[in-house]
Amino acid sequence: MEQQKIGKLISEKRKEKGITQQQLADMLGVTNKAVSKWENGKSMPDIGIIPELCKVLGVSISTLLNGEEIEDEKIIQEGKEKFIVEG
């Protein structure tokens, strides 16, 4: 696991959702400093909050731990977006 890569993904997904570091921290019961450390690659989220973090960010645990979207998940997400737009 690359902490820098994972941190970048957390930051990108949080911003896509329009959530501040403080709001994410409040949702997960941690401090905004903890979120900042994750995003800067200085630490990792505790294993116990990873499922909730993934839920909030809209990513799978595999995606989070890889620090990038898995190709199959990209296809699924694109399909969902296409369905929403066209459906």
Side-chain angles (χ1 to χ4, degrees):
M1 288 185 282
E2 270 188 67
Q3 285 185 191
Q4 295 285 345
K5 199 171 172 185
I6 294 168
K8 183 178 177 190
L9 179 76
I10 292 171
S11 177
E12 288 172 359
K13 293 297 181 179
R14 175 183 61 76
K15 290 173 183 175
E16 283 177 15
K17 300 283 183 186
I19 301 170
T20 65
Q21 286 183 342
Q22 184 63 57
Q23 289 169 325
L24 181 58
D26 291 344
M27 290 177 194
L28 300 172
V30 298
T31 66
N32 63 332
K33 289 182 181 181
V35 174
S36 177
K37 287 180 181 180
W38 303 339
E39 292 184 357
N40 290 311
K42 294 182 180 177
S43 70
M44 291 285 294
D46 181 83
I47 191 80
I49 64 170
I50 287 179
E52 186 63 23
L53 174 61
C54 290
K55 183 178 174 183
V56 170
L57 298 178
V59 299
S60 70
I61 293 173
S62 297
T63 292
L64 180 71
L65 297 180
N66 281 305
E68 62 186 10
E69 290 193 60
I70 309 302
E71 190 60 36
D72 289 345
E73 291 178 22
K74 287 180 185 177
I75 293 167
I76 291 168
Q77 185 61 34
E78 289 170 3
K80 286 181 184 175
E81 291 170 2
K82 185 175 181 181
F83 178 76
I84 291 169
V85 171
E86 294 178 359

